[in-house]
Amino acid sequence: GAFTYSLAAMLVAMPFILLLSVCVGSICYGCLFLNDKKGRFFLFIMNLFMTLAVAESVISLVSTIVPFFIVGIAAGAFTFGGFMVVEGFFIKVDDIPPGWRWMHW
């Protein structure tokens, strides 16, 4: 069924997401001279891996809900845009209306 397909797709995608995280994370970590304390690089790679895995999962969820490809792309962009707006980079948490603060966390 749908659950089996989703689980299989996730399991197939995970090694590639990990490879992408290690390759891109290594370049960024080295070029930006990020924290060189022991274990920080691993935390950075794991954070990047989990972020990419969640992003792919959200897009998979959106693609199952939306019937048309172009509408799915727009809905996915809107979803990520909504999360980016309330993550605290563009708007301070105190300025976010209470009904939207759940997206910050």
Side-chain angles (χ1 to χ4, degrees):
F3 177 75
T4 308
Y5 172 77
S6 298
L7 183 64
M10 181 188 70
L11 290 175
V12 167
M14 286 300 140
F16 297 106
I17 294 173
L18 182 62
L19 180 65
L20 180 67
S21 300
V22 170
C23 291
V24 172
S26 299
I27 293 168
C28 289
Y29 202 85
C31 288
L32 297 174
F33 302 107
L34 295 177
N35 193 344
D36 59 352
K37 290 184 181 176
K38 190 175 183 178
R40 295 295 182 168
F41 175 72
F42 176 73
L43 289 175
F44 178 75
I45 296 297
M46 287 308 299
N47 187 10
L48 185 58
F49 171 73
M50 294 303 294
T51 302
L52 290 173
V54 167
E56 183 163 329
S57 299
V58 168
I59 289 299
S60 295
L61 177 68
V62 168
S63 69
T64 58
I65 296 171
V66 178
F68 300 110
F69 178 74
I70 196 73
V71 176
I73 291 174
F78 177 76
T79 302
F80 285 124
F83 280 115
M84 281 191 265
V85 165
V86 297
E87 283 177 342
F89 298 111
F90 300 116
I91 301 173
K92 293 181 182 179
V93 179
D94 297 334
D95 295 337
I96 299 171
W100 287 91
R101 285 192 189 160
W102 66 271
M103 288 182 76
H104 174 74
W105 309 109

